[in-house]
Amino acid sequence: VMDEATGYRKPNAATESVEQTIFDRDSGPVTLSSRQAEQGFKWCNTCRVIRPPRASHCADCNACVLRFDHHCPFVNNCVGQRN
């Protein structure tokens, strides 16, 4: 929603930054904003990072892979965004 007087966007309930706290047992509380949660960002307990949408943790490689499709046992590598 635009403010006609200033020409800037007015914050509303949907765009306000409401923080969601996720507790990680090793590193303590992690803050995830409402915008990140709406966009599909999630917390990876294994890597201890905030994962972007469509990223998944590969148990074989022990790493988060962006746009993860599958782990190929023939080349021992994940098939994702860059390959």
Side-chain angles (χ1 to χ4, degrees):
V1 178
M2 296 293 283
D3 185 4
E4 295 173 4
T6 62
Y8 292 109
R9 276 180 47 174
K10 285 196 264 184
N12 59 19
T15 59
E16 283 183 4
S17 179
V18 177
E19 296 179 346
Q20 175 185 1
T21 303
I22 302 167
F23 186 77
D24 181 38
R25 62 181 173 184
D26 297 329
S27 63
V30 177
T31 304
L32 190 67
S33 71
S34 62
R35 178 169 273 176
Q36 288 174 327
E38 287 173 3
Q39 292 176 349
F41 286 82
K42 295 182 181 176
W43 175 253
C44 179
N45 289 321
T46 308
C47 294
R48 289 187 261 159
V49 297
I50 297 175
R51 291 184 311 188
R54 285 217 51 206
S56 295
H57 186 83
C58 178
D60 297 323
C61 293
N62 198 25
C64 282
V65 180
L66 196 59
R67 298 180 85 193
F68 179 75
D69 186 37
H70 67 280
H71 183 86
C72 182
F74 302 110
V75 293
N76 195 25
N77 198 7
C78 287
V79 177
Q81 180 175 355
R82 292 188 177 177
N83 54 359

